[in-house]
Amino acid sequence: MEKVIIIKYGELTLKKKNKNFFLKSLRDNVIHMLKDINHEVYYDFGRMFIYVDENDLEKTVLLLKKVFGIYEIIIGYKAEDRDIENIKRIILNLVEEKEFNSFRVSTKRSDKTYPITSMEVNRIVAGEILKKIPGIHVDIHTPNLTIYIEIRNEEVLFYFDGIKALGGYPVGTLGKGLLMLSGGIDSPVAGYMAIKKGIKIEAIYFESPPHTSEQAKNKVMALARKLAEYNTTVKLHVINFTEIQETILKNIPKDYLITIMRRMMYRISAIVASRSRANVLINGESIGQVASQTLTSMKVINEVVKLPVIRPLACFDKSEIMEVARKIDTYDISILPYEDCCTVFVPTHPVINPVSQKCIEFEALIPWEELIYKAISKHEVIKLEKDYNDNSYDDLL
Ligand code: ATP
Ligand code: MG
């Protein structure tokens, strides 16, 4: 009997008008994820069906566990002979391997011309199981085992409850966002959460060579590659921030260094975002974590851009952020020791409640517009793909 992977969409099905668009996007994302596996994909409004070689089944399920928009992954069985005797025989075979003491049968008949009603199939199959397996009973409300039978036009499907998947929306269905990606723990997690909501991300990284090393950049690329597992690919914009940072350091009072530096990062990010047709900026800021993440700081820094800034971690504790980082496998990369461009210049007493007017006055001391456009004109773009030799996803099962 042929095995088939059945995918349930969950929340997606609520998006009535855009359903087709959502499903096509999901199908494309699935196809991209399975590009190294020989497979066939079919879908209707209720679910998606994926056929692969039996040997690729396990790997396929693991890969699908990283596709947003999928709520449940089920390995089912397909039979072409829809005769009730065949259905009974198959079910008895399948439940033989299961341990359970209560069960229910749930039949769906999408082919209404099938001569036996769903209720009747439930009754016939349940009767057969009770007859053959001693010591079990039917429990409609809280069974150990639910047996699903689906009678379709040309086939019957059999399955049990599946594996819970990531949920969320298919990547790209909510448009594009630009993630400010540092080498830290927070920003990759923020990126992951934005991707979960259907935002296709591009990333921007500010480096300050020689104050930051090539390894620091490699680390950011490794993080982007991890995010590519969920995002299909990640386009990383690398901005050389050295001249801006050195100019700030020379001309701006120490307590305002970080505030001004971050205003410059925001400005550059907003320009790169609009050139890439990204509608929002995304970053890993979390309220109260450091001086630049007080509400006053956020306000004063945010003032320099018009784009909405999404901060998925705004209300998360560090321990909650770390938990997600471990789950998505970015934690071990993030804790590698290489300096990022903020820590190199971090002053001992940054201002906690910066004032906008002061920022404007200090910024007037440097030719920041010229510096910003110079940095953008030289920016490097790197396209990162998921590392297909990396097998570290098995712990997600
Ligand atoms: P993370 O752990 O993600 O680095 P953090 O706790 O170190 O965050 P900050 O350094 O204050 O916090 O930065 C806040 C956010 O600003 C980061 O989460 C990231 O989104 C962005 N950011 C900081 N440094 C850079 C950088 N060098 N390049 C791109 N984005 C950056
Ligand atoms: Mg940082």
Side-chain angles (χ1 to χ4, degrees), residues 186-217:
D186 305 335
S187 47
V189 173
Y192 169 82
M193 298 188 72
I195 300 169
K196 175 169 187 169
K197 296 312 290 182
I199 302 175
K200 170 118 180 178
I201 61 157
E202 292 190 8
I204 184 166
Y205 167 57
F206 297 89
E207 61 168 359
S208 295
H211 313 294
T212 61
S213 62
E214 194 62 22
Q215 284 122 310
K217 181 179 173 182

Side-chain angles (χ1 to χ4, degrees), residues 180-182 184-187 204 206 262 283-284 289 293 341:
M180 299 168 73
L181 181 62
S182 68
I185 295 170
D186 305 335
S187 47
I204 184 166
F206 297 89
R262 295 194 62 75
N283 67 36
Q289 199 183 74
Q293 292 167 29
C341 73

Side-chain angles (χ1 to χ4, degrees), residues 110-373:
S110 53
D111 175 9
K112 300 294 179 210
T113 64
Y114 189 77
I116 312 174
T117 65
S118 299
M119 290 293 279
E120 191 68 357
V121 175
N122 287 346
R123 203 188 53 74
I124 296 171
V125 173
E128 191 69 12
I129 294 172
L130 288 170
K131 202 161 73 188
K132 293 278 162 56
I133 307 176
I136 56 166
H137 62 278
V138 172
D139 182 342
I140 302 292
H141 302 293
T142 51
N144 297 149
L145 184 72
T146 302
I147 301 160
Y148 297 94
I149 303 173
E150 219 176 295
I151 301 169
R152 297 165 64 86
N153 283 343
E154 281 160 18
E155 66 218 12
V156 195
L157 299 175
F158 306 91
Y159 54 91
F160 304 98
D161 285 320
I163 309 157
K164 197 169 168 297
L166 283 182
Y169 299 131
V171 174
T173 50
L174 268 293
K176 206 193 275 178
L178 182 66
L179 170 69
M180 299 168 73
L181 181 62
S182 68
I185 295 170
D186 305 335
S187 47
V189 173
Y192 169 82
M193 298 188 72
I195 300 169
K196 175 169 187 169
K197 296 312 290 182
I199 302 175
K200 170 118 180 178
I201 61 157
E202 292 190 8
I204 184 166
Y205 167 57
F206 297 89
E207 61 168 359
S208 295
H211 313 294
T212 61
S213 62
E214 194 62 22
Q215 284 122 310
K217 181 179 173 182
N218 288 339
K219 182 174 150 181
V220 172
M221 282 166 57
L223 291 169
R225 219 172 267 124
K226 277 281 166 202
L227 292 176
E229 294 178 12
Y230 306 93
N231 197 59
T232 65
T233 57
V234 169
K235 201 168 162 189
L236 177 67
H237 303 261
V238 181
I239 302 281
N240 186 318
F241 205 51
T242 313
E243 197 179 357
I244 298 175
Q245 216 165 18
E246 288 177 349
T247 310
I248 292 174
L249 195 63
K250 252 188 247 147
N251 296 284
I252 309 270
K254 288 228 165 355
D255 54 342
Y256 269 72
L257 287 182
I258 295 279
T259 314
I260 304 290
M261 215 169 70
R262 295 194 62 75
R263 282 164 62 103
M264 297 302 163
M265 280 188 181
Y266 267 55
R267 287 181 171 117
I268 294 174
S269 301
I271 296 167
V272 171
S274 68
R275 290 186 182 178
S276 300
R277 295 179 204 287
N279 286 325
V280 292
L281 296 181
I282 301 148
N283 67 36
E285 289 173 348
S286 178
I287 298 164
Q289 199 183 74
V290 287
S292 62
Q293 292 167 29
T294 61
L295 295 186
T296 328
S297 280
M298 283 187 186
K299 170 182 163 283
V300 168
I301 293 165
N302 207 146
E303 268 165 12
V304 300
V305 296
K306 287 209 187 87
L307 285 189
V309 180
I310 310 278
R311 299 177 179 83
L313 310 182
C315 301
F316 274 48
D317 291 337
K318 194 75 187 186
S319 60
E320 293 168 319
I321 299 171
M322 280 157 59
E323 200 181 309
V324 184
R326 289 203 179 88
K327 194 181 92 184
I328 63 172
D329 246 351
T330 53
Y331 184 79
D332 288 341
I333 306 171
S334 292
I335 58 170
L336 293 170
Y338 316 111
E339 298 291 335
D340 80 17
C341 73
C342 293
T343 48
V344 175
F345 290 89
V346 80
T348 31
H349 294 294
V351 60
I352 288 176
N353 289 308
V355 178
S356 306
Q357 192 50 38
K358 279 196 177 174
C359 291
I360 295 166
E361 284 163 24
F362 294 147
E363 283 169 355
L365 302 171
I366 56 172
W368 61 267
E369 280 190 298
E370 191 189 312
L371 292 175
I372 278 179
Y373 280 98

